[in-house]
Amino acid sequence: MDKRDYYEVLGVNKDSKIEDIKKAYRKLVKKYHPDVNKEDGAEEKFKEVQEAYEVLSDDTKRQAYDQYGHAGTSGFDPRSGANGGGYEYSYGGTPFDMGDIFNTFFGGGSNFGFDFGFGQDTQKRNIGGENIRYKMRFSFDEAMKGGEFSVKIKRNVKCSKCDGSGSETGKRKTCDVCKGSGRERRVQNSFLGQIAVMAKCSKCNGVGTIPEKECSKCGGTGLESKSENTKIRIPAGAYDGMVLRFREGGNASLEGNYGDLFIEVEVEPSEKFERRGNDLYSVESIPAHIAVLGGKIDIETIFDSVKLKIPSGTQPGTIFRVKGEGSPILGKEKLRGDLYVRVDVDIPRKLSREEKGLWEKLGKM
């Protein structure tokens, strides 16, 4: 089934401000939350609202969606975690920000990174590795053609001495603060009064265990920094500002899980083409006699050159459409946009005596 338009899902316009988007989101998430709405289809609508909000609440994702639709957000995975600003909570595999939900139901905010549960058990969370983000610059031609590229990535991996255990002996013991749960009870003052919440353990950082004897190389973290060359594939038709996600290309956690690598694409402008969505625009100069008499000229495209037929009497500024010679369309194999060519007539600045005589004869006719 084709995805619905994200603006339609939230019931807002393309010109809506972020405040209006948040307001619509909070209203819908409260309406369709599975703990509140037990009707058939409510959970799917809840997930749909979450996905739409993930894109439209982020300036970069929203810009990509406005320009390229759902294909433009393929590099942004709504199910990927964010490294900062509180926990992400998952219902049926769909993540959302606990701060927004707390604000929706209780009228307050939650930016202190605590776990409220909402019917979930209090078992220790699975600690994932941190995501890392790099920018890569490509020429216009490289972005159009796509392909495999190499990038040097510096990230945290398992310590080579303790094999990621963080312990000199290779053994770990139960944390004496959280007793192995990975979380500790804290009392938080709020507008509702004092609230007892479960927060990540301050000693073991939520793991539940600590090294029996700290590794001398990694200091008990179980991790070491390493630089390595990584092969990444850029899709043909990549655009400036596009973000690509490569699973498990990020930093390792003590539990051996890896975060993701995000590559932000920077595309250098072309001296020949201007890109507008999937279409390209260029300018070609033609001799005066071709403009008058007509003929065929060679025009440059992003991959090769093609013949363009110029009809007789073509005026300066005329625009021709060359179908299927534009940018590759993301998510649609072998399909491309169109190329629009504006022709300028090349008027000779210097003439030989013979040429001048011919032009004078034409002028008298």
mmCIF file with all atom_site columns, all heavy atoms in Angstrom, residues 225-241:
data_model
loop_
_atom_site.group_PDB
_atom_site.id
_atom_site.type_symbol
_atom_site.label_atom_id
_atom_site.label_alt_id
_atom_site.label_comp_id
_atom_site.label_asym_id
_atom_site.label_entity_id
_atom_site.label_seq_id
_atom_site.pdbx_PDB_ins_code
_atom_site.Cartn_x
_atom_site.Cartn_y
_atom_site.Cartn_z
_atom_site.occupancy
_atom_site.B_iso_or_equiv
_atom_site.pdbx_formal_charge
_atom_site.auth_seq_id
_atom_site.auth_comp_id
_atom_site.auth_asym_id
_atom_site.auth_atom_id
_atom_site.pdbx_PDB_model_num
ATOM 1   N N   . SER A 1 225 ? 39.260 3.468  20.698 1.00 0.00 ? 225 SER A N   1
ATOM 2   C CA  . SER A 1 225 ? 39.024 4.216  19.477 1.00 0.00 ? 225 SER A CA  1
ATOM 3   C C   . SER A 1 225 ? 39.862 3.639  18.332 1.00 0.00 ? 225 SER A C   1
ATOM 4   O O   . SER A 1 225 ? 41.023 3.290  18.505 1.00 0.00 ? 225 SER A O   1
ATOM 5   C CB  . SER A 1 225 ? 39.394 5.692  19.699 1.00 0.00 ? 225 SER A CB  1
ATOM 6   O OG  . SER A 1 225 ? 39.148 6.444  18.542 1.00 0.00 ? 225 SER A OG  1
ATOM 7   N N   . LYS A 1 226 ? 39.246 3.553  17.154 1.00 0.00 ? 226 LYS A N   1
ATOM 8   C CA  . LYS A 1 226 ? 39.934 2.980  16.012 1.00 0.00 ? 226 LYS A CA  1
ATOM 9   C C   . LYS A 1 226 ? 39.520 3.696  14.733 1.00 0.00 ? 226 LYS A C   1
ATOM 10  O O   . LYS A 1 226 ? 38.352 4.013  14.530 1.00 0.00 ? 226 LYS A O   1
ATOM 11  C CB  . LYS A 1 226 ? 39.590 1.484  15.892 1.00 0.00 ? 226 LYS A CB  1
ATOM 12  C CG  . LYS A 1 226 ? 40.327 0.753  14.784 1.00 0.00 ? 226 LYS A CG  1
ATOM 13  C CD  . LYS A 1 226 ? 39.967 -0.728 14.764 1.00 0.00 ? 226 LYS A CD  1
ATOM 14  C CE  . LYS A 1 226 ? 40.702 -1.480 13.661 1.00 0.00 ? 226 LYS A CE  1
ATOM 15  N NZ  . LYS A 1 226 ? 40.328 -2.911 13.633 1.00 0.00 ? 226 LYS A NZ  1
ATOM 16  N N   . SER A 1 227 ? 40.498 3.979  13.878 1.00 0.00 ? 227 SER A N   1
ATOM 17  C CA  . SER A 1 227 ? 40.220 4.576  12.574 1.00 0.00 ? 227 SER A CA  1
ATOM 18  C C   . SER A 1 227 ? 40.289 3.490  11.508 1.00 0.00 ? 227 SER A C   1
ATOM 19  O O   . SER A 1 227 ? 41.220 2.682  11.492 1.00 0.00 ? 227 SER A O   1
ATOM 20  C CB  . SER A 1 227 ? 41.232 5.685  12.257 1.00 0.00 ? 227 SER A CB  1
ATOM 21  O OG  . SER A 1 227 ? 41.095 6.760  13.159 1.00 0.00 ? 227 SER A OG  1
ATOM 22  N N   . GLU A 1 228 ? 39.322 3.476  10.618 1.00 0.00 ? 228 GLU A N   1
ATOM 23  C CA  . GLU A 1 228 ? 39.285 2.455  9.583  1.00 0.00 ? 228 GLU A CA  1
ATOM 24  C C   . GLU A 1 228 ? 38.592 2.982  8.333  1.00 0.00 ? 228 GLU A C   1
ATOM 25  O O   . GLU A 1 228 ? 37.729 3.863  8.399  1.00 0.00 ? 228 GLU A O   1
ATOM 26  C CB  . GLU A 1 228 ? 38.551 1.207  10.096 1.00 0.00 ? 228 GLU A CB  1
ATOM 27  C CG  . GLU A 1 228 ? 37.167 1.477  10.648 1.00 0.00 ? 228 GLU A CG  1
ATOM 28  C CD  . GLU A 1 228 ? 36.587 0.275  11.375 1.00 0.00 ? 228 GLU A CD  1
ATOM 29  O OE1 . GLU A 1 228 ? 37.301 -0.690 11.619 1.00 0.00 ? 228 GLU A OE1 1
ATOM 30  O OE2 . GLU A 1 228 ? 35.383 0.322  11.701 1.00 0.00 ? 228 GLU A OE2 1
ATOM 31  N N   . ASN A 1 229 ? 38.996 2.462  7.207  1.00 0.00 ? 229 ASN A N   1
ATOM 32  C CA  . ASN A 1 229 ? 38.378 2.833  5.938  1.00 0.00 ? 229 ASN A CA  1
ATOM 33  C C   . ASN A 1 229 ? 37.117 1.999  5.740  1.00 0.00 ? 229 ASN A C   1
ATOM 34  O O   . ASN A 1 229 ? 37.143 0.776  5.843  1.00 0.00 ? 229 ASN A O   1
ATOM 35  C CB  . ASN A 1 229 ? 39.344 2.606  4.776  1.00 0.00 ? 229 ASN A CB  1
ATOM 36  C CG  . ASN A 1 229 ? 40.470 3.625  4.767  1.00 0.00 ? 229 ASN A CG  1
ATOM 37  O OD1 . ASN A 1 229 ? 40.249 4.804  5.027  1.00 0.00 ? 229 ASN A OD1 1
ATOM 38  N ND2 . ASN A 1 229 ? 41.683 3.182  4.475  1.00 0.00 ? 229 ASN A ND2 1
ATOM 39  N N   . THR A 1 230 ? 36.032 2.666  5.464  1.00 0.00 ? 230 THR A N   1
ATOM 40  C CA  . THR A 1 230 ? 34.736 2.011  5.296  1.00 0.00 ? 230 THR A CA  1
ATOM 41  C C   . THR A 1 230 ? 34.200 2.262  3.896  1.00 0.00 ? 230 THR A C   1
ATOM 42  O O   . THR A 1 230 ? 34.278 3.382  3.386  1.00 0.00 ? 230 THR A O   1
ATOM 43  C CB  . THR A 1 230 ? 33.732 2.551  6.335  1.00 0.00 ? 230 THR A CB  1
ATOM 44  O OG1 . THR A 1 230 ? 34.243 2.311  7.645  1.00 0.00 ? 230 THR A OG1 1
ATOM 45  C CG2 . THR A 1 230 ? 32.377 1.863  6.186  1.00 0.00 ? 230 THR A CG2 1
ATOM 46  N N   . LYS A 1 231 ? 33.703 1.218  3.270  1.00 0.00 ? 231 LYS A N   1
ATOM 47  C CA  . LYS A 1 231 ? 33.106 1.338  1.946  1.00 0.00 ? 231 LYS A CA  1
ATOM 48  C C   . LYS A 1 231 ? 31.621 1.670  2.091  1.00 0.00 ? 231 LYS A C   1
ATOM 49  O O   . LYS A 1 231 ? 30.894 0.997  2.819  1.00 0.00 ? 231 LYS A O   1
ATOM 50  C CB  . LYS A 1 231 ? 33.259 0.033  1.153  1.00 0.00 ? 231 LYS A CB  1
ATOM 51  C CG  . LYS A 1 231 ? 34.703 -0.354 0.836  1.00 0.00 ? 231 LYS A CG  1
ATOM 52  C CD  . LYS A 1 231 ? 35.287 0.547  -0.250 1.00 0.00 ? 231 LYS A CD  1
ATOM 53  C CE  . LYS A 1 231 ? 36.677 0.054  -0.669 1.00 0.00 ? 231 LYS A CE  1
ATOM 54  N NZ  . LYS A 1 231 ? 37.257 0.926  -1.712 1.00 0.00 ? 231 LYS A NZ  1
ATOM 55  N N   . ILE A 1 232 ? 31.175 2.713  1.410  1.00 0.00 ? 232 ILE A N   1
ATOM 56  C CA  . ILE A 1 232 ? 29.767 3.064  1.432  1.00 0.00 ? 232 ILE A CA  1
ATOM 57  C C   . ILE A 1 232 ? 29.270 3.214  -0.002 1.00 0.00 ? 232 ILE A C   1
ATOM 58  O O   . ILE A 1 232 ? 30.042 3.541  -0.900 1.00 0.00 ? 232 ILE A O   1
ATOM 59  C CB  . ILE A 1 232 ? 29.504 4.369  2.205  1.00 0.00 ? 232 ILE A CB  1
ATOM 60  C CG1 . ILE A 1 232 ? 30.239 5.545  1.544  1.00 0.00 ? 232 ILE A CG1 1
ATOM 61  C CG2 . ILE A 1 232 ? 29.905 4.236  3.657  1.00 0.00 ? 232 ILE A CG2 1
ATOM 62  C CD1 . ILE A 1 232 ? 29.838 6.878  2.107  1.00 0.00 ? 232 ILE A CD1 1
ATOM 63  N N   . ARG A 1 233 ? 27.996 2.968  -0.222 1.00 0.00 ? 233 ARG A N   1
ATOM 64  C CA  . ARG A 1 233 ? 27.408 3.088  -1.557 1.00 0.00 ? 233 ARG A CA  1
ATOM 65  C C   . ARG A 1 233 ? 26.439 4.268  -1.581 1.00 0.00 ? 233 ARG A C   1
ATOM 66  O O   . ARG A 1 233 ? 25.535 4.364  -0.765 1.00 0.00 ? 233 ARG A O   1
ATOM 67  C CB  . ARG A 1 233 ? 26.687 1.800  -1.952 1.00 0.00 ? 233 ARG A CB  1
ATOM 68  C CG  . ARG A 1 233 ? 26.032 1.870  -3.338 1.00 0.00 ? 233 ARG A CG  1
ATOM 69  C CD  . ARG A 1 233 ? 25.672 0.503  -3.844 1.00 0.00 ? 233 ARG A CD  1
ATOM 70  N NE  . ARG A 1 233 ? 26.860 -0.279 -4.195 1.00 0.00 ? 233 ARG A NE  1
ATOM 71  C CZ  . ARG A 1 233 ? 27.528 -0.149 -5.345 1.00 0.00 ? 233 ARG A CZ  1
ATOM 72  N NH1 . ARG A 1 233 ? 27.129 0.744  -6.248 1.00 0.00 ? 233 ARG A NH1 1
ATOM 73  N NH2 . ARG A 1 233 ? 28.575 -0.891 -5.598 1.00 0.00 ? 233 ARG A NH2 1
ATOM 74  N N   . ILE A 1 234 ? 26.679 5.170  -2.532 1.00 0.00 ? 234 ILE A N   1
ATOM 75  C CA  . ILE A 1 234 ? 25.835 6.339  -2.720 1.00 0.00 ? 234 ILE A CA  1
ATOM 76  C C   . ILE A 1 234 ? 24.884 6.069  -3.890 1.00 0.00 ? 234 ILE A C   1
ATOM 77  O O   . ILE A 1 234 ? 25.330 5.681  -4.970 1.00 0.00 ? 234 ILE A O   1
ATOM 78  C CB  . ILE A 1 234 ? 26.690 7.589  -3.013 1.00 0.00 ? 234 ILE A CB  1
ATOM 79  C CG1 . ILE A 1 234 ? 27.689 7.836  -1.882 1.00 0.00 ? 234 ILE A CG1 1
ATOM 80  C CG2 . ILE A 1 234 ? 25.792 8.809  -3.218 1.00 0.00 ? 234 ILE A CG2 1
ATOM 81  C CD1 . ILE A 1 234 ? 27.062 8.109  -0.543 1.00 0.00 ? 234 ILE A CD1 1
ATOM 82  N N   . PRO A 1 235 ? 23.582 6.264  -3.706 1.00 0.00 ? 235 PRO A N   1
ATOM 83  C CA  . PRO A 1 235 ? 22.643 5.994  -4.801 1.00 0.00 ? 235 PRO A CA  1
ATOM 84  C C   . PRO A 1 235 ? 22.772 7.025  -5.915 1.00 0.00 ? 235 PRO A C   1
ATOM 85  O O   . PRO A 1 235 ? 23.069 8.194  -5.665 1.00 0.00 ? 235 PRO A O   1
ATOM 86  C CB  . PRO A 1 235 ? 21.276 6.090  -4.119 1.00 0.00 ? 235 PRO A CB  1
ATOM 87  C CG  . PRO A 1 235 ? 21.494 7.020  -2.967 1.00 0.00 ? 235 PRO A CG  1
ATOM 88  C CD  . PRO A 1 235 ? 22.894 6.728  -2.485 1.00 0.00 ? 235 PRO A CD  1
ATOM 89  N N   . ALA A 1 236 ? 22.550 6.598  -7.145 1.00 0.00 ? 236 ALA A N   1
ATOM 90  C CA  . ALA A 1 236 ? 22.566 7.525  -8.276 1.00 0.00 ? 236 ALA A CA  1
ATOM 91  C C   . ALA A 1 236 ? 21.440 8.539  -8.097 1.00 0.00 ? 236 ALA A C   1
ATOM 92  O O   . ALA A 1 236 ? 20.319 8.175  -7.758 1.00 0.00 ? 236 ALA A O   1
ATOM 93  C CB  . ALA A 1 236 ? 22.378 6.757  -9.584 1.00 0.00 ? 236 ALA A CB  1
ATOM 94  N N   . GLY A 1 237 ? 21.770 9.812  -8.291 1.00 0.00 ? 237 GLY A N   1
ATOM 95  C CA  . GLY A 1 237 ? 20.776 10.862 -8.110 1.00 0.00 ? 237 GLY A CA  1
ATOM 96  C C   . GLY A 1 237 ? 20.772 11.443 -6.716 1.00 0.00 ? 237 GLY A C   1
ATOM 97  O O   . GLY A 1 237 ? 19.849 12.181 -6.353 1.00 0.00 ? 237 GLY A O   1
ATOM 98  N N   . ALA A 1 238 ? 21.805 11.150 -5.910 1.00 0.00 ? 238 ALA A N   1
ATOM 99  C CA  . ALA A 1 238 ? 21.890 11.698 -4.557 1.00 0.00 ? 238 ALA A CA  1
ATOM 100 C C   . ALA A 1 238 ? 21.872 13.224 -4.623 1.00 0.00 ? 238 ALA A C   1
ATOM 101 O O   . ALA A 1 238 ? 22.443 13.824 -5.528 1.00 0.00 ? 238 ALA A O   1
ATOM 102 C CB  . ALA A 1 238 ? 23.150 11.202 -3.869 1.00 0.00 ? 238 ALA A CB  1
ATOM 103 N N   . TYR A 1 239 ? 21.211 13.841 -3.677 1.00 0.00 ? 239 TYR A N   1
ATOM 104 C CA  . TYR A 1 239 ? 21.071 15.291 -3.689 1.00 0.00 ? 239 TYR A CA  1
ATOM 105 C C   . TYR A 1 239 ? 21.753 15.925 -2.476 1.00 0.00 ? 239 TYR A C   1
ATOM 106 O O   . TYR A 1 239 ? 22.032 15.274 -1.474 1.00 0.00 ? 239 TYR A O   1
ATOM 107 C CB  . TYR A 1 239 ? 19.593 15.688 -3.724 1.00 0.00 ? 239 TYR A CB  1
ATOM 108 C CG  . TYR A 1 239 ? 18.770 15.091 -2.606 1.00 0.00 ? 239 TYR A CG  1
ATOM 109 C CD1 . TYR A 1 239 ? 18.669 15.722 -1.375 1.00 0.00 ? 239 TYR A CD1 1
ATOM 110 C CD2 . TYR A 1 239 ? 18.090 13.890 -2.782 1.00 0.00 ? 239 TYR A CD2 1
ATOM 111 C CE1 . TYR A 1 239 ? 17.929 15.168 -0.347 1.00 0.00 ? 239 TYR A CE1 1
ATOM 112 C CE2 . TYR A 1 239 ? 17.345 13.338 -1.762 1.00 0.00 ? 239 TYR A CE2 1
ATOM 113 C CZ  . TYR A 1 239 ? 17.262 13.987 -0.542 1.00 0.00 ? 239 TYR A CZ  1
ATOM 114 O OH  . TYR A 1 239 ? 16.533 13.433 0.478  1.00 0.00 ? 239 TYR A OH  1
ATOM 115 N N   . ASP A 1 240 ? 22.008 17.203 -2.584 1.00 0.00 ? 240 ASP A N   1
ATOM 116 C CA  . ASP A 1 240 ? 22.670 17.945 -1.512 1.00 0.00 ? 240 ASP A CA  1
ATOM 117 C C   . ASP A 1 240 ? 21.791 17.956 -0.263 1.00 0.00 ? 240 ASP A C   1
ATOM 118 O O   . ASP A 1 240 ? 20.605 18.280 -0.324 1.00 0.00 ? 240 ASP A O   1
ATOM 119 C CB  . ASP A 1 240 ? 22.925 19.389 -1.981 1.00 0.00 ? 240 ASP A CB  1
ATOM 120 C CG  . ASP A 1 240 ? 23.778 20.162 -0.992 1.00 0.00 ? 240 ASP A CG  1
ATOM 121 O OD1 . ASP A 1 240 ? 24.926 19.760 -0.768 1.00 0.00 ? 240 ASP A OD1 1
ATOM 122 O OD2 . ASP A 1 240 ? 23.296 21.169 -0.442 1.00 0.00 ? 240 ASP A OD2 1
ATOM 123 N N   . GLY A 1 241 ? 22.355 17.559 0.882  1.00 0.00 ? 241 GLY A N   1
ATOM 124 C CA  . GLY A 1 241 ? 21.612 17.501 2.134  1.00 0.00 ? 241 GLY A CA  1
ATOM 125 C C   . GLY A 1 241 ? 21.029 16.135 2.442  1.00 0.00 ? 241 GLY A C   1
ATOM 126 O O   . GLY A 1 241 ? 20.482 15.928 3.526  1.00 0.00 ? 241 GLY A O   1
#
